[in-house]
Amino acid sequence: MNGADERATQSRRVRFDSAHKWAATLAAVVALALSIYNFAELQKKPRIDVALPHLLRAGPVGDGTAFQIQPTVSSRFKAQDVEVIRDARLRLTPVGSISSSAKPVFYWHETGTYVYDFASDLVNYNWTGDPAPFVVSQDKPQQPTLVFWADGWTFRPGRYEGSLRLTRSGNRSPLVEKFCLIVSKRAADEIRGAAERRIFFFRDDLPKFRSSGDSPDCYRRETD
């Protein structure tokens, strides 16, 4: 090998070593950036989503009305901290033709769950806890059945604008999900004349209403 060949070979080796070092340095920088990003993401406050169910339950209790709603409260992202839901509030406002009627004052009475009983082929409600804060994290989503009571009030036929408001820890802004509820005269009469603690279903996904064009997204009685 002559001198020119040796110099060319050495030059190629130098370029290769330099490129290898740059590639190694770049890989290290990318790995560091990913580590910093992942650490920063873990330090963020958890981002919470709330989704309402397709079914609401309501019925008479004492001289008033019980209203049950089972939201899904979850976090789609991993975070170092967990979220604490401190309080839940339900509001129903009569609108339209019944806007002048009394507005119910609901309070969070308890939390429960529904369990299917194979022997009787019935779905039974069970109390699970008092109204108390609950924890939400990515690996621990929550679907509590929140039970609200309004004393001295019952439904009148008409439309109601509702909202579920969940108060969070750390002075963070509350989570609010809105919905509408249409109560027919038949449904109002059923609830008013029903036995204590009987439950009536209202749904927002019934095909016969979704295709009607008349407030298709509102909750309604299945029998309307």
Side-chain angles (χ1 to χ4, degrees):
M1 181 180 293
N2 58 34
D5 291 338
E6 290 181 355
R7 287 192 296 273
T9 300
Q10 185 176 8
S11 178
R12 286 194 297 270
R13 185 179 296 114
V14 169
R15 288 196 301 271
F16 175 80
D17 291 343
S18 177
H20 178 73
K21 291 178 180 177
W22 274 107
T25 302
L26 179 61
V29 170
V30 171
L32 178 61
L34 288 175
S35 297
I36 294 174
Y37 173 79
N38 290 333
F39 178 78
E41 285 296 304
L42 285 175
Q43 299 308 307
K44 288 183 178 180
K45 293 291 185 182
R47 285 171 283 185
I48 301 299
D49 292 325
V50 179
L52 297 182
H54 287 303
L55 185 148
L56 305 178
R57 296 177 174 92
V61 58
D63 66 341
T65 299
F67 197 99
Q68 301 177 3
I69 184 169
Q70 186 183 32
T72 297
V73 190
S74 61
S75 175
R76 295 181 291 118
F77 305 96
K78 182 175 286 294
Q80 190 77 12
D81 295 335
V82 297
E83 183 68 276
V84 179
I85 303 300
R86 299 174 58 187
D87 193 19
R89 298 290 179 90
L90 174 71
R91 292 183 179 177
L92 273 184
T93 301
V95 297
S97 62
I98 58 171
S99 59
S100 61
S101 61
K103 181 179 177 180
V105 180
F106 283 98
Y107 59 95
W108 186 9
H109 185 268
E110 64 191 45
T111 301
T113 187
Y114 279 89
V115 179
Y116 176 70
D117 180 69
F118 287 92
S120 63
D121 194 30
L122 296 175
V123 177
N124 299 316
Y125 172 80
N126 292 329
W127 175 94
T128 59
D130 296 325
F134 57 90
V135 174
V136 181
S137 63
Q138 187 187 38
D139 59 351
K140 193 177 182 180
Q142 299 285 353
Q143 284 187 310
T145 296
L146 306 175
V147 182
F148 300 91
W149 284 16
D151 297 328
W153 182 88
T154 189
F155 289 104
R156 289 185 59 192
R159 179 184 173 116
Y160 298 82
E161 296 293 337
S163 67
L164 177 67
R165 180 186 181 96
L166 302 180
T167 304
R168 299 188 284 178
S169 59
N171 296 320
R172 304 188 68 199
S173 58
L175 302 168
V176 180
E177 283 295 313
K178 297 181 179 181
F179 62 93
C180 57
L181 174 71
I182 295 179
V183 181
S184 65
K185 183 180 185 305
R186 177 180 178 180
D189 291 343
E190 281 184 317
I191 295 173
R192 191 176 298 110
E196 175 82 5
R197 293 182 179 269
R198 183 181 172 188
I199 293 298
F200 297 88
F201 298 157
F202 292 82
R203 301 190 64 107
D204 70 345
D205 60 347
L206 295 172
K208 62 181 177 180
F209 295 124
R210 295 193 68 86
S211 60
S212 68
D214 180 19
S215 302
D217 295 327
C218 288
Y219 290 88
R220 303 169 186 255
R221 280 280 287 138
E222 294 182 65
T223 54
D224 286 348

